[in-house]
Amino acid sequence: MGITRTIIIVWSWKAAGIGEGIWQVAGSANANDLVVCRDWPISQEGDTQNLAVLIRQYLQQDGEVMLFLHRYHGYSQEHLKQIIHQVPEGQQERLRCFLFGEGADAIYLTSDAKGLLGTSGTFSAQLNLDGQPLDVSAIANAERRLLKSAHFDYIWDIYQLALRRRIFEFKEDLFNCLGQYLPQMTFEPGELYALLRLPENRMLFLRLLSFVGRIRKGSDLANEIRIFERNNNRTLTFDDCGIQLETSYGAPAAEQYALLAAYVLRNVLAKGNAVSLLELRERFEELLEQISGLTYHS
């Protein structure tokens, strides 16, 4: 018997009639794979305990779990920490946790036709392809609660690399932006901050604020970056980053992230010191070296 791969999705399942429950994955090669649907808003003190119990259940016997928590159900990075810290240390490396919402990123069929989630608690969606409506679905057999293996495998594979890919793409976007100022390699205190505050760099500036933990949940800035995510079909925020690095890649990765975030906060997003692009790139590379694995699937 192979390893059980379980995707737990906390979302609005009750709204559309599908409801809570467990879906299996079609095909003998995916006989042990499951998608567990729960509609649990974070409205009471025991909610994270309930999730932790559920996760531990599926981590038994060397199982692997991906947990997706919808932001509009009230979840934040603090809840991720509470949940992960209720999982035994020896099992934490087999758990990946993600915050999602706003119809952004690959888990949504509306963002990626290989995804899983439709709209309002479904596994189906209608896309617009060259002006023509196209129905897409991750369901293989609704009566038997079976999902298509291609959709499950795609989401599992792409989210295994999601954190490294998000940091790598952030680094690349940042230096592509700063590349327009070459051959200048050093910026005076406050100079880089002023450039990033230009209207054309707004999305990148918000991503930097998110990376260093300076976007408060429910704030105008949080709403603004969610709009950028939705319009670009990409996860641009880092509110699940720190705890993920610690549990999935170990203390050195979390420490390197903290050092980089502190450097950006002190020197890039303030008037602290001059900023060397070579030093900034090196700090990003040091973090990525701590995050093992591929950046993209071949």
Side-chain angles (χ1 to χ4, degrees):
M1 180 178 292
I3 293 175
T4 299
R5 299 184 300 175
T6 304
I7 296 177
I8 300 173
I9 305 174
V10 179
W11 195 37
S12 305
W13 294 107
K14 296 178 182 178
I18 286 182
E20 298 179 312
I22 299 174
W23 289 68
Q24 295 179 302
V25 180
S28 58
N30 298 79
N32 298 313
D33 296 334
L34 301 170
V35 174
V36 179
C37 306
R38 292 290 181 267
D39 198 335
W40 292 349
I42 190 76
S43 57
Q44 55 189 23
E45 187 174 339
D47 286 348
T48 59
Q49 286 91 332
N50 294 336
L51 275 169
V53 169
L54 186 66
I55 290 166
R56 291 197 298 268
Q57 173 188 338
Y58 289 104
L59 284 173
Q60 292 175 1
Q61 299 178 347
D62 296 327
E64 298 181 8
V65 171
M66 283 188 182
L67 173 68
F68 291 87
L69 299 173
H70 196 246
R71 291 188 180 94
Y72 280 5
H73 273 45
Y75 291 95
S76 66
Q77 183 178 9
E78 290 306 311
H79 299 114
L80 290 184
K81 292 179 182 178
Q82 293 172 23
I83 292 165
I84 290 174
H85 288 157
Q86 293 176 70
V87 174
E89 287 189 11
Q91 297 179 356
Q92 289 178 0
E93 63 183 16
R94 292 185 277 112
L95 171 66
R96 298 282 191 276
C97 301
F98 302 96
L99 298 169
F100 75 102
E102 293 293 340
D105 213 8
I107 195 169
Y108 286 101
L109 288 162
T110 48
S111 294
D112 192 322
K114 299 176 184 177
L116 276 175
L117 304 182
T119 53
S120 300
T122 70
F123 289 113
S124 303
Q126 187 175 85
L127 307 182
N128 188 304
L129 185 64
D130 297 327
Q132 298 296 319
L134 174 66
D135 293 323
V136 293
S137 177
I139 296 175
N141 187 310
E143 291 185 4
R144 296 172 58 195
R145 285 184 173 254
L146 288 177
L147 296 172
K148 297 174 182 176
S149 59
H151 289 256
F152 182 96
D153 289 339
Y154 178 75
I155 292 303
W156 188 270
D157 290 343
I158 201 168
Y159 277 94
Q160 286 281 14
L161 309 178
L163 189 56
R164 178 182 172 84
R165 185 180 65 251
R166 200 186 323 163
I167 293 173
F168 174 81
E169 291 180 348
F170 173 51
K171 181 204 72 170
E172 291 297 294
D173 290 346
L174 175 60
F175 283 96
N176 283 340
C177 171
L178 299 181
Q180 64 186 301
Y181 303 108
L182 294 175
Q184 181 178 354
M185 296 297 295
T186 302
F187 293 85
E188 296 301 317
E191 184 180 6
L192 195 51
Y193 177 77
L195 292 173
L196 291 167
R197 288 304 308 268
L198 294 174
E200 59 265 32
N201 296 327
R202 182 63 176 174
M203 183 169 71
L204 188 59
F205 178 69
L206 291 176
R207 290 165 74 186
L208 277 164
L209 290 178
S210 178
F211 188 76
V212 300
R214 286 298 186 270
I215 292 187
R216 184 168 43 83
K217 180 184 175 183
S219 66
D220 290 343
L221 292 178
N223 293 331
E224 187 178 355
I225 198 169
R226 298 283 178 258
I227 293 172
F228 278 120
E229 287 186 319
R230 185 169 63 247
N231 292 341
N232 290 271
N233 289 338
R234 295 171 63 193
T235 296
L236 303 173
T237 47
F238 292 92
D239 48 356
D240 55 5
C241 182
I243 188 65
Q244 288 274 52
L245 286 169
E246 179 181 344
T247 56
S248 301
Y249 300 99
E255 290 167 3
Q256 205 64 55
Y257 166 72
L259 288 172
L260 174 56
Y263 179 85
V264 170
L265 185 61
R266 183 174 61 251
N267 300 311
V268 179
L269 295 175
K271 297 180 180 180
N273 300 292
V275 178
S276 163
L277 293 189
L278 290 176
E279 181 182 3
L280 183 59
R281 179 177 284 277
E282 183 178 335
R283 288 174 178 267
F284 268 100
E285 294 296 343
E286 288 172 349
L287 171 57
L288 288 167
E289 285 175 5
Q290 297 295 332
I291 308 174
S292 59
L294 301 170
T295 303
Y296 298 98
H297 282 287
S298 57

